[in-house]
Amino acid sequence: MAEKWLFVAHTLPKSPAADVLLLTLNLFLLQIIFSDGIKLYMALRGAWQLRKLVVSYCNWGGSSRGIRAFMESELPALKEKNPHLEVVTELNRGQHPFLKGLYKNKNERVVCVKNLSQDEVLEAATKLRNSLGRKVVKLKTRHVTKQPSVQGVVLLDKQDMDYAVYVYEKVNFFNR
């Protein structure tokens, strides 16, 4: 299928519209070739940030049922698709299962996969692979900007405030 698309791309005339079409076709081809049903993401500056994935499970606990199924069916394929990733399995008897991601920036993330199905465990592992491993920082304001708003500050006059109170009272009256 890819050869047909490449042939069509080479027969297009040289124009800005053709360049846009070529770019769209190339992105479409990359998505077909590399995605395998899971969206493909590259991390920071084209390099994967997750360097090690630790899969911890219990071999007899009921909460580890999904991760054991994941290890039998999905983990070998995950290892093949991500040769850069070191995957380690740990047997922790009597403990709930978890996934631990160790990143290049010395951070780690732990995700509990207790009582999850194998598809949900695969999704959690994929999210660990796609994330940067940065710590979550809570912003002090709603948004961060260095430029003030072009529209300026919104000031309501008395008539607008009266109407807003009227609408608020109407809505609360009907929601009782």
Side-chain angles (χ1 to χ4, degrees):
M1 180 176 154
E3 293 83 17
K4 292 179 186 176
W5 284 101
L6 291 176
F7 176 73
V8 169
H10 287 296
T11 59
L12 288 173
K14 295 292 183 189
S15 70
D19 291 340
V20 170
L21 183 61
L22 261 172
L23 179 63
T24 307
L25 285 175
N26 287 337
L27 291 175
F28 178 70
L29 283 175
L30 288 175
Q31 187 178 10
I32 289 174
I33 293 169
F34 295 113
S35 68
D36 293 332
I38 298 171
K39 288 186 179 177
L40 177 72
Y41 294 103
M42 285 298 283
L44 190 63
R45 295 184 194 92
W48 294 105
Q49 297 300 301
L50 183 66
R51 61 177 178 82
K52 186 175 185 180
L53 179 68
V54 179
V55 180
S56 179
Y57 69 101
C58 175
N59 61 350
W60 58 269
S63 64
S64 295
R65 186 176 300 123
I67 199 163
R68 287 193 303 265
F70 165 76
M71 288 172 52
E72 290 174 4
S73 61
E74 305 288 341
L75 192 60
L78 185 71
K79 285 182 182 179
E80 283 182 21
K81 290 179 186 174
N82 301 294
H84 65 278
L85 185 60
E86 178 186 353
V87 180
V88 178
T89 58
E90 289 181 352
L91 176 63
N92 286 335
R93 291 179 179 243
Q95 302 295 319
H96 291 299
F98 62 88
L99 298 174
K100 183 191 294 187
L102 302 168
Y103 294 89
K104 288 183 179 178
N105 59 2
K106 308 289 191 268
N107 287 338
E108 67 180 42
R109 284 193 178 175
V110 179
V111 177
C112 178
V113 290
K114 175 176 71 171
N115 296 325
L116 296 183
S117 68
Q118 70 180 22
D119 295 332
E120 293 169 331
V121 174
L122 176 63
E123 184 179 331
T126 306
K127 284 182 181 178
L128 280 175
R129 182 198 67 180
N130 293 341
S131 66
L132 296 177
R134 294 180 178 162
K135 298 288 183 185
V136 177
V137 178
K138 183 178 179 184
L139 298 175
K140 295 185 190 313
T141 61
R142 196 166 38 114
H143 64 280
V144 178
T145 180
K146 293 182 180 178
Q147 298 293 327
S149 173
V150 176
Q151 297 175 349
V153 179
V154 177
L155 298 174
L156 299 176
D157 59 355
K158 174 119 174 70
Q159 185 179 5
D160 292 336
M161 286 299 292
D162 291 340
Y163 182 72
V165 169
Y166 170 74
V167 170
Y168 178 75
E169 290 172 352
K170 276 263 201 220
V171 169
N172 282 340
F173 177 77
F174 289 117
N175 288 336
R176 290 183 189 171

